[in-house]
Amino acid sequence: MTMWGTFLKPMHPEGYRFVGIFAAVTLVLFLVWAPLGWLGLGLTIWCYYFFRDPPRAVPQGEGLVVSPADGVVSLIGPAVPPAELGMAPVALTRVSVFMSVFNCHVNRAPVAGRVAAVAYRPGKFFNASLDKASDQNERNALCLELADGRQLAVVQIAGLVARRILCWSREGDSLRTGQRFGLIRFGSRLDVYLPPGVAPMVAVGQTMVAGETVIAELGRPGAARAAVID
């Protein structure tokens, strides 16, 4: 990777409009008062980085479940998947990844499978790191049907400042592991509901990289992995 490649990342097309708006406002601010212009330039650069969409090295292996988002694991525990997906109303292990406004916000499929259902539900905009955000915030949920017939749910949840959830996948689509399927503006959370008997291999506080960090292996049941954040 070149030095420029370290700092300059591809930007998702969804960000072109916003970066253009920030840049136009910045130009006006420079004409009004230079210090305001430099502030606007900083915000324009932040907007560009928010919509960055770098390539990821997706691990290849049967049964690997990867993180759907960049961020930090904020919650791990039993929870019932969103009712609107029509999945069995039983508690599954839920792994929540919280994305701050500084994380890359392009969402990736945690596992290969067919999109059995997509369901959007309006809601509130509590801080996405809170447990109640899963139930009360605006969300968009996908049920992925795996090759062996098991199901896994991944849920996009709006956060405190997020005001739009984008999902490009539709019912019947086939997704490969790590494939881009959506994006949330600006700060949010992704929940993954693992199939019964599958334990997470990550810990609360652990940093996730979308499409790269393995959060579970479908063929390895057992207790969740213990870890210490050092």
Side-chain angles (χ1 to χ4, degrees):
M1 179 181 291
T2 65
M3 182 181 69
W4 284 111
T6 302
F7 299 100
L8 297 179
K9 304 295 183 182
M11 185 174 66
H12 193 275
E14 178 68 21
Y16 294 162
R17 175 165 56 99
F18 291 93
V19 172
I21 293 172
F22 273 71
V25 172
T26 296
L27 180 59
V28 173
L29 291 177
F30 267 118
L31 295 175
V32 173
W33 190 38
L36 287 177
W38 288 110
L39 176 61
L41 179 61
L43 291 174
T44 301
I45 294 173
W46 167 79
C47 185
Y48 155 68
Y49 267 90
F50 178 89
F51 287 102
R52 66 192 183 278
D53 184 17
R56 295 290 163 83
V58 181
Q60 302 298 297
E62 187 176 353
L64 295 181
V65 181
V66 300
S67 177
D70 285 12
V72 174
V73 177
S74 58
L75 296 165
I76 296 177
V80 177
E84 59 267 25
L85 284 179
M87 298 173 64
V90 297
L92 302 174
T93 298
R94 182 185 67 196
V95 179
S96 300
V97 180
F98 174 74
M99 298 182 288
S100 76
V101 294
F102 299 105
N103 289 122
C104 172
H105 273 58
V106 175
N107 306 144
R108 293 173 178 262
V111 70
R114 183 183 69 87
V115 180
V118 180
Y120 168 80
R121 197 204 71 174
K124 301 181 184 301
F125 297 94
F126 292 119
N127 188 323
S129 64
L130 301 176
D131 186 36
K132 64 181 179 180
S134 291
D135 296 323
Q136 300 185 35
N137 280 23
E138 175 182 326
R139 68 191 183 204
N140 184 72
L142 284 76
C143 174
L144 299 179
E145 187 174 283
L146 312 181
D148 60 7
R150 287 185 291 177
Q151 293 181 326
L152 177 149
V154 57
V155 185
Q156 300 169 285
I157 301 172
L160 188 63
V161 295
R163 286 298 184 270
R164 190 177 182 193
I165 297 175
L166 301 178
C167 179
W168 311 305
S169 296
R170 297 292 180 264
E171 186 174 334
D173 289 352
S174 292
L175 299 179
R176 63 184 182 277
T177 305
Q179 181 176 341
R180 299 167 180 83
F181 76 88
L183 181 150
I184 314 177
R185 304 193 306 248
F186 285 92
S188 42
R189 171 173 141 193
L190 267 287
D191 285 351
V192 176
Y193 293 81
L194 299 172
V198 177
M201 300 171 61
V202 295
V204 172
Q206 185 172 341
T207 300
M208 300 286 100
V209 178
E212 292 191 0
T213 307
V214 175
I215 62 175
E217 290 188 32
L218 297 175
R220 292 184 59 182
R225 187 180 68 176
V228 174
I229 306 301
D230 190 358

